[in-house]
Amino acid sequence: MYIESTLDAANEFLVAVISIQRHTLIFQPNLLHIRFKRYLLYYLPLLFCIIYPVVFYLGTIILYSCDEAQWNFTLNACGDTICYLSDNEILAGYDWIVNTGLPIIAIILGNVILVIRVIRQKHRRQRTVSWSKQRHMTIQLISISSLYLLTWLPNVIIGVMQQINPSDYLYGIEEYIVSDLTYLICLLLPWMCLGLLPDFKKWMLKLLRRVKKPSNIVGTTTLKTRQN
């Protein structure tokens, strides 16, 4: 549970920070040419995204006093194994809102606003928006935002509702249906990023053609026999 929670949070924070940093890389790239600002605005946030989840969940999962009765091996994922989610409402609310909800909102807003800023900049410079050139970036950013929206937002909503008004019905939905949606990020995000690369599809087609192309083994063998 510690490894899963740490990796999930680190993934969300990294994608959220990258979604924000992309604005600087596109609109103010000269800002990162200064070493101090590059470490402050680029490397330090990325380092925080890794260190913070490791430290936070070390204290809340590994070092947190837990009742062994909560480990129910007949339930999905052994039941409510993260004890503070049910024992400490303040800590559980903080985890759902800060560690899960805010990164998701930052990912969605960061990517959507970036598309809007690119279009507005084209209009300010009195240039016609070439949708053929902007289509790739728009599809990529909207796809990533939609993936995190569909997989994590139901978890956040039900998790916060459970802290406000606990319900066995909502617990069953979260435990057996909604919680499994987050695994779609691990399965789909790598392929989504690769599929949206400009030359990836061309490279895959060339690779498939080479694999499907039969080698002329019979003809080669016959030619060698005639030569001998």
Side-chain angles (χ1 to χ4, degrees):
M1 296 303 298
Y2 169 68
I3 294 174
E4 181 178 2
S5 299
T6 301
L7 292 177
D8 284 341
N11 173 270
E12 289 182 59
F13 278 109
L14 282 171
V15 178
V17 169
I18 291 171
S19 300
I20 297 173
Q21 288 180 341
R22 191 181 285 114
H23 290 257
T24 304
L25 295 173
I26 293 176
F27 297 102
Q28 294 178 318
N30 295 329
L31 190 65
L32 299 179
H33 291 172
I34 304 174
R35 179 178 296 181
F36 174 75
K37 292 184 177 180
R38 183 168 65 250
Y39 279 95
L40 181 64
L41 300 176
Y42 187 77
Y43 293 113
L44 189 61
L46 296 177
L47 187 63
F48 170 82
C49 294
I50 299 175
I51 295 178
Y52 170 73
V54 172
V55 175
F56 177 82
Y57 290 109
L58 178 65
T60 55
I61 296 179
I62 302 296
L63 302 179
Y64 190 86
S65 59
C66 187
D67 185 7
E68 294 183 358
Q70 295 196 19
W71 292 85
N72 189 344
F73 295 100
T74 62
L75 296 177
N76 184 32
C78 302
D80 189 10
T81 53
I82 303 180
C83 301
Y84 72 90
L85 290 178
S86 57
D87 292 346
N88 194 324
E89 294 181 358
I90 298 177
L91 194 58
Y94 173 85
D95 186 29
W96 278 114
I97 295 173
V98 176
N99 295 342
T100 306
L102 289 181
I104 298 303
I105 294 174
I107 293 170
I108 297 171
L109 292 180
N111 290 327
V112 173
I113 292 175
L114 181 62
V115 175
I116 297 174
R117 290 186 66 184
V118 171
I119 296 174
R120 290 184 62 184
Q121 188 182 54
K122 292 286 186 179
H123 284 291
R124 286 179 181 176
R125 296 182 178 180
Q126 296 180 351
R127 296 179 181 177
T128 57
V129 179
S130 178
W131 288 108
S132 60
K133 296 181 179 180
Q134 305 300 333
R135 181 177 59 185
H136 177 266
M137 182 195 71
T138 303
I139 294 175
Q140 183 183 40
L141 299 181
I142 298 299
S143 299
I144 294 174
S145 301
S146 301
L147 179 62
Y148 278 86
L149 176 66
L150 296 175
T151 55
W152 271 111
L153 193 60
N155 281 276
V156 176
I157 293 174
I158 295 179
V160 173
M161 291 176 64
Q162 283 290 84
Q163 300 304 318
I164 298 174
N165 186 17
S167 171
D168 293 336
Y169 176 73
L170 290 178
Y171 176 80
I173 295 177
E174 180 183 10
E175 185 73 15
Y176 294 102
I177 301 176
V178 176
S179 61
D180 293 332
L181 292 176
T182 57
Y183 295 112
L184 292 175
I185 295 178
C186 305
L187 297 173
L188 299 180
L189 186 61
W191 293 103
M192 184 181 295
C193 295
L194 288 174
L196 293 172
L197 291 176
D199 298 328
F200 178 73
K201 294 180 180 179
K202 297 179 181 179
W203 178 79
M204 284 295 297
L205 290 175
K206 291 181 180 180
L207 184 63
L208 291 174
R209 289 171 183 171
R210 291 178 182 177
V211 173
K212 292 181 179 180
K213 186 177 181 180
S215 57
N216 192 8
I217 300 176
V218 178
T220 305
T221 306
T222 305
L223 181 61
K224 288 183 178 180
T225 304
R226 289 178 178 178
Q227 291 177 350
N228 292 333

